[in-house]
Amino acid sequence: MAINYPNGKKFVPSKNSATKETGTPKKKKDFSFSNRGKTLEDELNETNDYYLQLGLAVIHKKPVPLQIVKVEYPSRSAAVIREAYFQAPSTTDYNGVWNGRYIDFEAKETENKTSFPLKNIHDHQIHHMSQVVKQAGTAFMIIRFSSWQRYFIMPFKELEFFWNRMITGGRKSVTLQEIEETSFEIIPGAFPRINYLPLLKKF
Amino acid sequence: MAINYPNGKKFVPSKNSATKETGTPKKKKDFSFSNRGKTLEDELNETNDYYLQLGLAVIHKKPVPLQIVKVEYPSRSAAVIREAYFQAPSTTDYNGVWNGRYIDFEAKETENKTSFPLKNIHDHQIHHMSQVVKQAGTAFMIIRFSSWQRYFIMPFKELEFFWNRMITGGRKSVTLQEIEETSFEIIPGAFPRINYLPLLKKF
């Protein structure tokens, strides 16, 4: 029986490319040396700043949620937080508005060469993106394969497909080949580095 | 010369109502005792939870931005932040999506009885809301007059009018009467307490 991805593309199982480290996806050459060592978050913040400066979109990373337990107020100085804990975020990291469209995404990078592990995503983030899509917002995930310097936008519908496959007993990751077949590749540029907005028109 | 607000309503200067504490706006009776002592943030979080549960909208408060300086990693326990500082937020506190519409607002309460002091707002928040409106998002401020238990939605265009009046040398607050004339009053209910979404249809 043929299985189709939500985008209508045909699912073609591939036995090897996902399970071995020997696959040789097209490696992007000519990426700027200055971008080496930057995290995906750095790159996206720079891209979002660029969008903001040019009036193209208003998209920000949300602050990390913290549970604050103890705050000191030294005289004549700013309050100092002396005890706080990281909390699991209940939403995605980035959201904002672009041409009247609500934009909401999570960004994840992996050192894996042949697949993206879904353990990087929390189920409440999937739930959140599902709610966003029901409100006619645009939700997706940006994935960086750091070893290859390759970037993909995976629409939420595709992410949901792979997520449901996992929670119904299927594989716990998405192969690079599956991502190539279901997602939009962002070709990294000089400035902005990760120009993801134009690809959203294809959703 | 007649001055009109951005909403087209006529500006009628009132000498007294704003500067004295003796004005007696219609006081809302019959508000639930259980809501006494709740902050506006509590009330809005409850309202947004209600919207989320019923699938009406996906609107969250952003975490407070902190600059983290020192983190300890005790063995076998969660990481503890030992030194951090509050940062000025560069955006508003709340945003999300409702029926495909991008929603973005700031919420402020005042104990003042006759006017809302604009010192509660930062210029970068005004700038942010201005950028949102340029991207066809919906930006506004929710104001609570805590003494009267009265709530208003002030569309950004009106807020911008009063802000510009201030920075060009005018008064540093907006009188309650001006707010009555330019904003939409939210009549507090039992559940959700601050049902602001229906009023956005009037924008």
Side-chain angles (χ1 to χ4, degrees), chain B residues 101-120:
Chain B
R101 223 164 133 175
Y102 176 76
I103 304 297
D104 194 299
F105 64 97
E106 186 62 28
K108 295 289 182 196
E109 53 196 311
T110 180
E111 294 294 331
N112 271 28
K113 291 189 169 66
T114 53
S115 69
F116 175 78
L118 288 168
K119 71 171 190 292
N120 285 327

Side-chain angles (χ1 to χ4, degrees), chain A residues 48-60:
Chain A
N48 289 336
D49 276 351
Y50 172 89
Y51 289 152
L52 196 61
Q53 298 306 320
L54 268 70
L56 297 172
V58 183
I59 296 166
H60 290 276

Side-chain angles (χ1 to χ4, degrees), chain A residues 52 55-58 60 63-66 68 79-86 91 95-100 102 128 131 135-136, chain B residues 52 55-58 60 63 65-66 68 79-86 91 95-100 102 128 131 135-136:
Chain A
L52 196 61
L56 297 172
V58 183
H60 290 276
V64 178
L66 298 177
I68 299 172
V80 190
I81 293 147
R82 286 296 181 198
E83 186 182 350
Y85 298 90
F86 294 101
T91 66
N95 75 352
V97 59
W98 169 56
N99 281 335
Y102 175 77
H128 169 74
Q131 289 171 315
Q135 287 297 324
Chain B
L52 196 61
L56 298 172
V58 183
H60 290 276
L66 297 177
I68 298 173
V80 189
I81 294 147
R82 286 297 181 197
E83 187 183 350
Y85 298 90
F86 294 101
T91 66
N95 75 351
V97 59
W98 170 56
N99 281 335
Y102 176 76
H128 169 73
Q131 289 171 316
Q135 287 298 323

Side-chain angles (χ1 to χ4, degrees), chain B residues 78-203:
Chain B
V80 189
I81 294 147
R82 286 297 181 197
E83 187 183 350
Y85 298 90
F86 294 101
Q87 289 181 305
S90 54
T91 66
T92 49
D93 274 356
Y94 300 85
N95 75 351
V97 59
W98 170 56
N99 281 335
R101 223 164 133 175
Y102 176 76
I103 304 297
D104 194 299
F105 64 97
E106 186 62 28
K108 295 289 182 196
E109 53 196 311
T110 180
E111 294 294 331
N112 271 28
K113 291 189 169 66
T114 53
S115 69
F116 175 78
L118 288 168
K119 71 171 190 292
N120 285 327
I121 315 290
H122 302 291
D123 57 354
H124 46 78
Q125 293 179 314
I126 297 287
H127 184 59
H128 169 73
M129 285 192 262
S130 152
Q131 289 171 316
V132 163
V133 167
K134 279 183 194 132
Q135 287 298 323
T138 300
F140 53 94
M141 184 166 61
I142 292 182
I143 301 170
R144 177 172 96 169
F145 280 89
S146 300
S147 308
W148 309 123
Q149 292 286 314
R150 291 184 72 183
Y151 304 77
F152 295 91
I153 295 184
M154 182 183 283
F156 173 68
K157 284 290 171 202
E158 313 294 332
L159 174 60
E160 193 179 34
F161 172 86
F162 295 120
W163 184 264
N164 287 337
R165 182 176 70 179
M166 178 184 73
I167 62 177
T168 53
R171 54 177 301 146
K172 293 183 172 56
S173 63
V174 187
T175 69
L176 176 54
Q177 185 184 330
E178 288 173 329
I179 293 173
E180 289 173 332
E181 285 165 0
T182 59
S183 303
F184 302 103
E185 183 158 9
I186 310 165
I187 307 301
F191 204 68
R193 174 81 175 148
I194 314 295
N195 193 16
Y196 59 92
L197 283 182
L199 290 171
L200 303 185
K201 291 174 185 158
K202 298 187 179 177
F203 272 42

